[in-house]
């Protein structure tokens, strides 16, 4: 049994007293400050600015934003609400393009609105609660399933932040790592810095420290060296979108980890809830890849580090082809190649 009170201490998205409180992830680890969002556009802005981030967390925040927008509508019928909420749903959907969880959560909210009657407000709120509750349950299930794949004494390496901060709680890849440590299977945990936003350095090792899990931070560029010297047996990452053939969009740098892992015979595991699977998109080439302001690369810790006049390019996700993946862990089970067949089977099992 996993002691969740010990291994899951942080909550980043909290709906209380008709407000959405978001732990401002730009200010961690040194300041734990919540942003109070009173309307849906404040949530859309927080998603675009990375105050809340991580694929499942932005889906959950988006769902709660619809509850806020519903609260602002006054006494209207379900039919009127369906029309009035379209622009705000569209603005939320546009906040970030790559993680399909945002569009998925908003589609669920639209679906409930489409069939609700006079009880539409209660139904919308209940749907947001379900999205959040189901995500936590999925993470706990995936944690146990993923940990079972790891041989005792293994070293693992993760990228970006996939923990409680990025989800309803416990985490996806970080949930597997938490479970693997709790069950005594993982001997070493390495986390990459994850430039330029430093999700690994600022968030992942901080989250693990709260749990009392011993983790070692490495520069992104040290990963292949660790694999080549036998310190890592599994690379374990999350996902922002998994296509029907099993290609995986995740934080920029994931692809080079997968290539190095295959070269050195290290196993590569992707952990994501079914809300990250996009069966309507066949190949990774069809996933929209977010490019952020190149200015994010020109400074470090708020200080400019690059000569004036230098150009930068800032794609923030990349696509790992299915062929480089050993296992995709979802709450519907552990999937293995051929992933198109496995995903189709899991899709039908809903
Ligand atoms: O830009 P971010 O910080 O939102 O990117 C996050 C990632 O790439 C995560 O690996 C992914 O969303 C999975 S989080 C459980």
């Amino acid at each position: 049994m996993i002691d969740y009170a010990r291994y899951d201490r942080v909550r980043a998205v909290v709906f209380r007293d008709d407000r959405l409180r978001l732990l401002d992830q730009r200010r961690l680890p040194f300041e734990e400050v919540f942003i109070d969002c009173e309307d849906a556009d404040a949530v859309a802005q927080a998603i675009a600015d990375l105050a809340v981030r991580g694929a499942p967390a932005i889906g959950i925040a988006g769902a709660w934003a619809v509850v806020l927008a519903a609260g602002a509508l006054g006494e209207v019928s379900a039919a009127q609400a369906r029309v009035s909420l379209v622009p705000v749903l569209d603005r939320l959907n546009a906040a970030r393009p790559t993680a399909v969880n945002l569009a998925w959560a908003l589609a669920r909210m639209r679906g409930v609105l489409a069939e609700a009657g006079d009880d539409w407000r209660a139904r919308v709120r209940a749907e947001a609660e379900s999205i959040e509750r189901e995500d936590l349950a999925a993470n706990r299930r995936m944690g146990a399933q993923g940990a079972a794949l790891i041989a005792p004494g293994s070293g693992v390496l993760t990228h970006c932040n996939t923990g409680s901060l990025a989800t309803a709680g416990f985490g996806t890849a970080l949930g597997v790592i938490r479970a693997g440590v709790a069950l005594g299977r993982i001997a070493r945990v390495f986390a990459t810095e994850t430039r330029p936003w430093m999700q690994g350095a600022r968030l992942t090792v901080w989250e693990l420290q709260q749990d009392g899990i011993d983790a070692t931070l490495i520069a992104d560029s040290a990963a292949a060296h660790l694999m080549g010297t036998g310190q890592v047996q599994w690379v374990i990452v999350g996902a922002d979108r998994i296509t029907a053939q099993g290609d995986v969009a995740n934080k920029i740098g994931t692809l080079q980890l997968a290539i190095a892992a295959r070269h050195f015979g290290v196993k590569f595991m992707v952990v994501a809830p079914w809300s990250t699977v996009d069966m309507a998109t066949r190949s990774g080439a069809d996933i929209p890849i977010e490019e952020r302001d190149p200015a994010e690369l020109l400074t470090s810790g708020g200080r400019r580090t690059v000569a004036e006049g230098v150009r930068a390019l800032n794609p923030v996700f990349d696509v790992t082809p299915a062929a480089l993946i050993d296992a995709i862990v979802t709450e519907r089970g552990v999937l293995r190649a051929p992933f198109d067949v496995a995903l189709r089977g899991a899709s039908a099992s809903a």
Side-chain angles (χ1 to χ4, degrees):
M1 275 297 287
I2 294 161
D3 176 3
Y4 292 110
R6 170 177 173 189
Y7 288 112
D8 186 11
R9 292 166 185 255
V10 182
R11 286 294 176 270
V13 181
V14 181
F15 191 81
R16 195 185 298 146
D17 301 331
D18 293 327
R19 284 174 190 200
L20 186 63
R21 304 185 75 220
L22 300 174
L23 180 57
D24 189 344
Q25 301 192 30
R26 298 164 302 182
R27 297 171 73 170
L28 290 170
F30 298 118
E31 291 175 82
E32 287 178 50
V33 179
F34 279 85
I35 300 173
D36 262 347
C37 297
E38 292 182 17
D39 60 50
D41 283 325
V43 181
Q45 197 61 52
I47 292 171
D49 293 346
L50 304 192
V52 59
R53 45 142 303 279
I58 65 175
I60 295 161
W64 283 120
V66 178
V67 176
L68 291 176
L73 277 188
E75 288 308 309
V76 298
S77 68
Q80 287 167 311
R82 280 194 275 281
V83 175
S84 302
L85 290 174
V86 168
V88 76
L89 280 158
D90 289 348
R91 287 198 294 279
L92 284 163
N93 206 25
R96 289 192 84 187
T98 303
V100 77
N101 309 59
L102 178 58
W104 168 87
L106 295 173
R108 268 183 71 163
M109 301 306 277
R110 276 184 220 267
V112 160
L113 261 175
E115 56 169 41
D118 289 345
D119 60 345
W120 70 272
R121 267 176 222 284
R123 294 278 309 277
V124 159
R125 191 180 172 124
E127 193 69 3
E129 277 165 5
S130 299
I131 288 171
E132 186 174 311
R133 195 178 49 246
E134 288 166 22
D135 187 63
L136 180 59
N139 292 338
R140 291 179 173 180
R141 204 181 156 99
M142 295 188 299
Q145 289 178 326
L149 304 178
I150 300 169
S154 294
V156 301
L157 184 150
T158 191
H159 188 51
C160 196
N161 173 268
T162 63
S164 305
L165 290 169
T167 64
F170 199 54
T172 58
L174 212 59
V176 167
I177 292 173
R178 286 184 153 120
V181 170
L183 299 170
R185 305 179 84 87
I186 293 177
R188 295 171 300 283
V189 180
F190 298 100
T192 58
E193 282 182 304
T194 321
R195 285 174 182 266
W197 271 81
M198 311 297 266
Q199 289 94 332
R202 292 188 305 101
L203 309 177
T204 299
V205 289
W206 174 76
E207 265 198 47
L208 292 176
Q209 192 179 52
Q210 315 278 311
D211 295 359
I213 293 177
D214 196 21
T216 303
L217 180 69
I218 60 163
D220 295 327
S221 44
H225 168 71
L226 263 71
M227 292 186 222
T229 51
Q231 299 175 72
V232 174
Q233 281 63 52
W234 277 96
V235 174
I236 308 176
V237 297
D240 288 83
R241 194 184 294 231
I242 300 174
T243 71
Q245 66 182 27
D247 300 335
V248 170
N250 191 48
K251 180 52 55 194
I252 193 79
T254 303
L255 172 60
Q256 60 202 30
L257 294 176
I259 292 168
R262 183 55 55 94
H263 179 79
F264 289 115
V266 168
K267 299 284 184 207
F268 193 87
M269 186 192 309
V270 174
V271 188
W274 197 259
S275 55
T276 306
V277 176
D278 176 8
M279 293 299 283
T281 299
R282 171 131 195 93
S283 142
D286 301 321
I287 299 175
I289 298 294
E290 179 182 4
E291 279 194 23
R292 295 185 66 88
D293 188 345
E296 292 178 351
L297 294 174
L298 304 178
T299 58
S300 179
R303 287 186 54 188
R304 188 162 178 116
T305 50
V306 179
E308 296 295 339
V310 170
R311 244 199 331 269
L313 180 66
N314 191 17
V316 299
F317 298 99
D318 58 26
V319 175
T320 298
L324 294 178
I325 298 167
D326 293 291
I328 298 178
V329 178
T330 79
E331 72 274 32
R332 298 188 187 181
V334 176
L335 310 182
R336 304 276 194 176
F339 288 109
D340 54 348
V341 176
L343 284 158
R344 224 178 305 128
S347 177
S349 76

